[in-house]
DNA sequence: CGGTATCCATATCGATACTG
DNA sequence: CAGTATCGATATGGATACCG
């Protein structure tokens, strides 16, 4: 990893990982992916029911960015009242195993990490 | 994934993955981990040289949170001028393979994702 | 039903100056 | 050398009201 590559990777636009992490790193994306993985196809308000603590706005924003990245497919049924369905794409399916690895790692280490945080709080408190 | 679990996982404090992602999802953490993995042991200003675009403040903040989570070990040599060394812990070493998987996935899919984003821009522009 | 629009609170990030 | 303090800009997230 020489200076030039590091310089490039410090730039969000040019760094592949930052491009991806900036999306899955936000507050709701991961949860939406996991719910859609389990339920396969859901309408907007069904998703809202599963993830009741999200605001309508943030659910909309999250779904738009997932759709833009080609991770979620949005199907509109032209009827009244409108019906819109969301489901994962193959691209999202290929990402999900890595997410599950992260979930597993987190579950395994979260207790130790929280203990570390508390200890750090104590030793750094003046 | 029933309602109760979802409710819990919507809460950042109680969700293991969000706890971890909130850290590695921020702007500089991943880069610091990867540089420390490659260089093994570095002083504050050496890190700053490797990641030249980070501000002193953000490098300090990033290192503190990594130290708090037990992912980075900080060693102070009581001398003048001060000497402080940073290196990864075993906990961080166990996380790095998952990060490399994410890096690889991102590199593989970034072009298709960027193409999707451009296409999405076009079709949604009024 | 499936969203937008608007406004606001907070969190994150960065530039600059200063220090033991 | 290895930071901290302060201030300000920007990004993110949320509450509420409204709409085709």
């Amino acid at each position: 990893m020489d200076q030039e590559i590091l310089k490039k990777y410090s730039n969000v636009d040019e760094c592949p990982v930052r491009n991806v992490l900036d999306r899955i790193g936000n507050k709701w994306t991961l949860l939406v992916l996991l719910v859609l993985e389990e339920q396969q196809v859901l309408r907007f308000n069904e998703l809202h029911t599963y993830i009741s603590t999200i605001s309508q706005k943030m659910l909309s924003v999250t779904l738009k960015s997932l759709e833009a990245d080609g991770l979620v497919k949005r199907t509109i049924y032209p009827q009244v009242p409108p019906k819109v369905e969301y489901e994962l794409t193959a691209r999202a399916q290929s990402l999900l195993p890595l997410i599950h690895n992260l979930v597993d790692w987190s579950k395994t280490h979260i207790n130790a990490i929280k203990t570390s945080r508390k200890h750090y709080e104590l030793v750094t408190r003046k």
Side-chain angles (χ1 to χ4, degrees), chain A:
Chain A
M1 215 191 290
D2 61 30
Q3 291 299 101
E4 194 175 354
I5 292 180
L6 269 170
K7 200 166 181 181
K8 278 190 75 168
Y9 279 35
S10 299
N11 182 329
V12 172
D13 290 338
E14 305 195 40
C15 173
V17 204
R18 283 250 50 81
N19 255 279
V20 173
L21 271 181
D22 280 352
R23 303 295 181 120
I24 71 168
N26 67 28
K27 191 164 175 179
W28 299 107
T29 300
L30 213 61
L31 202 49
V32 169
L33 287 177
L34 292 174
V35 169
L36 278 179
E37 181 190 30
E38 206 174 77
Q39 305 299 321
Q40 303 202 39
V41 182
L42 287 176
R43 299 174 65 172
F44 188 89
N45 276 338
E46 288 175 335
L47 264 166
H48 205 180
T49 305
Y50 276 96
I51 312 170
S52 55
T53 47
I54 195 175
S55 68
Q56 219 172 7
K57 170 187 168 182
M58 289 316 296
L59 181 54
S60 175
V61 167
T62 303
L63 285 170
K64 273 178 189 295
S65 90
L66 284 171
E67 191 194 352
D69 284 8
L71 295 173
V72 159
K73 180 181 154 202
R74 180 173 183 265
T75 309
I76 314 172
Y77 297 91
Q79 59 188 43
V80 181
K83 175 181 176 180
V84 180
E85 288 185 340
Y86 295 91
E87 61 190 308
L88 298 185
T89 63
R91 189 177 297 165
Q93 301 288 358
S94 76
L95 176 59
L96 271 158
L98 310 193
I99 291 178
H100 282 293
N101 287 342
L102 271 179
V103 173
D104 292 342
W105 189 92
S106 304
K107 283 181 178 171
T108 303
H109 293 85
I110 187 63
N111 284 335
I113 289 175
K114 287 195 171 180
T115 301
S116 293
R117 285 180 193 170
K118 283 172 191 160
H119 180 251
Y120 182 83
E121 279 302 306
L122 288 175
V123 297
T124 56
R125 196 183 308 275
K126 303 303 176 301

